[in-house]
Amino acid sequence: MTRTSPIACAALAAALAAAAHADTTLYGSLRLSVDYIDDQTLDQDYSDVRDNASRLGVKGSEELGGGLSAVYQYEFGVDAANTGNTKGRLAWVGLKGGFGALSLGRQWSPYYNAVGSLSDVWNSDDTAIGYYFLGQPHRISNALIYASPDWRGFSAQLALAPDSDALGDSGLTGQVRGDSPAEEDDVDLWDLALLYQSGPFKAGVAYRDNRSADYSLWGASASYAFADLNLIATYQQADLGSSEPWEADLTAEYRFGNNILRAGYARLDTDAPVADRGSETEFDIWKLGWQYNFSRRTRVFVEYADNEIATGGGFLPFGAEYDNLSVGMRHDF
């Protein structure tokens, strides 16, 4: 039987104790579903209760005077469907003022904030996988991040990670290109992102140079809300040396009352044949979903995805062709 590590328990206890401070907020999210999977590659079908990135954390700030504040966040992923074990998701501290914000630790990457966050509206992990073929890691360890103040709707973010552990739990191990391991003495990964928001329009563009895994990546995203209809589009392209895979994703949301209907389509072009898939290089994902909000904190959902190819959470790790039907509930606190 797997147990939560003593270090994780101690860290979680310390984080919860900090919630007693007036400027600290305790928060969390429980996200569970019953999934039916039809694995067409193995000709098998089965059902399972799944966790969809449940979490528990604390965040807050302290006024230091002169317009300067200390800001911090400590967040754990919780396996709510099985062991209840925790793993680190976010852990950072920084300073915020008129100059913007400067923070240290494990944080959301500027690339994700600009490219992935707009399309991250699906509830089931299996209906949200399009971005993750190329967008990993979406959280960066050992990172120094600067976020500029807002200027007429524009803002910028820069991340530097001077250690290859920036790959964290993304699954990006070894060299993507198959070269000899990179030996960088300065920065192993850096992100640069530009974000814009004006009323119902949001957009972002970002570039990543991952020297540790030896690839570069750029992406763009945009969303626009027409009354009850919201359209979201993303595009990403990587340079792996021998190939330049790309991914495009489109999601439409329609809101009426407490209901949200979603439809999505994503295409991945690997620009190179995939093992066990013959000469095929293009793969499609079709997604449909319904969400009902009982309140701002509680929802139920039904989502379906037809995946021609699956991702295991790393950079282009391919898996089975499968269909997934997910029926679940989420409660935030």
Side-chain angles (χ1 to χ4, degrees):
M1 177 174 148
T2 305
R3 297 185 179 182
T4 305
S5 71
I7 295 177
C9 289
L12 181 58
L16 293 175
H21 192 280
D23 294 327
T24 298
T25 300
L26 171 67
Y27 69 93
S29 182
L30 287 170
R31 311 177 181 194
L32 291 164
S33 62
V34 178
D35 286 26
Y36 172 78
I37 299 94
D38 180 7
D39 188 325
Q40 297 159 16
T41 301
L42 299 178
D43 194 23
Q44 296 178 351
D45 58 88
Y46 57 93
S47 59
D48 193 13
V49 175
R50 290 189 172 181
D51 178 82
N52 295 284
S54 297
R55 66 208 54 182
L56 179 66
V58 291
K59 59 183 177 180
S61 63
E62 180 187 3
E63 297 293 335
L64 302 176
L68 189 65
S69 300
V71 289
Y72 51 91
Q73 186 174 11
Y74 211 145
E75 182 178 288
F76 293 88
V78 180
D79 183 358
N82 295 290
T83 61
N85 284 359
T86 61
K87 66 176 182 179
R89 283 173 55 91
L90 301 169
W92 59 267
V93 65
L95 293 172
K96 183 178 181 179
F99 63 91
L102 189 64
S103 52
L104 289 165
R106 180 168 172 80
Q107 307 168 67
W108 289 108
S109 71
Y111 187 92
Y112 170 81
N113 292 336
V115 180
S117 61
L118 290 182
S119 61
D120 197 2
V121 296
W122 298 88
N123 294 283
S124 168
D125 286 349
D126 278 293
T127 48
I129 65 176
Y131 164 81
Y132 295 104
F133 279 113
L134 299 181
Q136 298 277 18
H138 48 296
R139 290 183 293 270
I140 305 177
S141 297
N142 305 316
L144 169 64
I145 296 182
Y146 169 72
S148 75
D150 181 85
W151 183 77
R152 296 186 178 181
F154 288 95
S155 61
Q157 297 179 7
L158 172 65
L160 303 175
D163 191 298
S164 59
D165 285 342
L167 301 180
D169 61 4
S170 67
L172 303 182
T173 56
Q175 290 301 98
V176 172
R177 292 182 180 173
D179 304 336
S180 59
E183 295 181 359
E184 298 292 341
D185 296 327
D186 44 14
V187 174
D188 285 349
L189 179 149
W190 62 268
D191 277 5
L192 179 61
L194 179 65
L195 301 92
Y196 177 75
Q197 180 173 358
S198 178
F201 178 72
K202 300 177 182 178
V205 61
Y207 177 80
R208 166 173 295 162
D209 184 356
N210 192 329
R211 301 177 182 183
S212 179
D214 197 22
Y215 73 89
S216 62
L217 172 69
W218 73 271
S221 69
S223 70
Y224 192 86
F226 307 83
D228 295 324
L229 178 65
N230 185 34
L231 298 179
I232 308 166
T234 65
Y235 179 83
Q236 303 179 84
Q237 183 162 344
D239 181 0
L240 308 185
S242 60
S243 63
E244 296 184 352
W246 60 266
E247 183 268 339
D249 198 319
L250 178 64
T251 296
E253 296 183 309
Y254 180 71
R255 299 171 182 265
F256 59 100
N258 292 342
N259 300 273
I260 303 176
L261 295 179
R262 293 188 178 96
Y265 168 75
R267 165 159 286 192
L268 171 70
D269 188 330
T270 63
D271 194 36
V274 177
D276 302 323
R277 299 299 175 96
S279 60
E280 189 174 2
T281 64
E282 296 180 346
F283 303 92
D284 298 322
I285 303 171
W286 297 91
K287 301 177 280 188
L288 290 172
W290 168 74
Q291 175 180 317
Y292 182 82
N293 299 321
F294 286 102
S295 68
R296 294 182 62 183
R297 299 185 300 170
T298 302
R299 69 181 69 168
V300 292
F301 60 87
V302 179
E303 293 180 354
Y304 170 79
D306 179 355
N307 299 280
E308 286 192 1
I309 195 167
T311 176
F315 194 97
L316 295 175
F318 302 114
E321 179 179 354
Y322 71 101
D323 296 342
N324 185 83
L325 177 64
S326 181
V327 180
M329 179 175 178
R330 168 176 162 178
H331 178 74
D332 301 331
F333 61 89

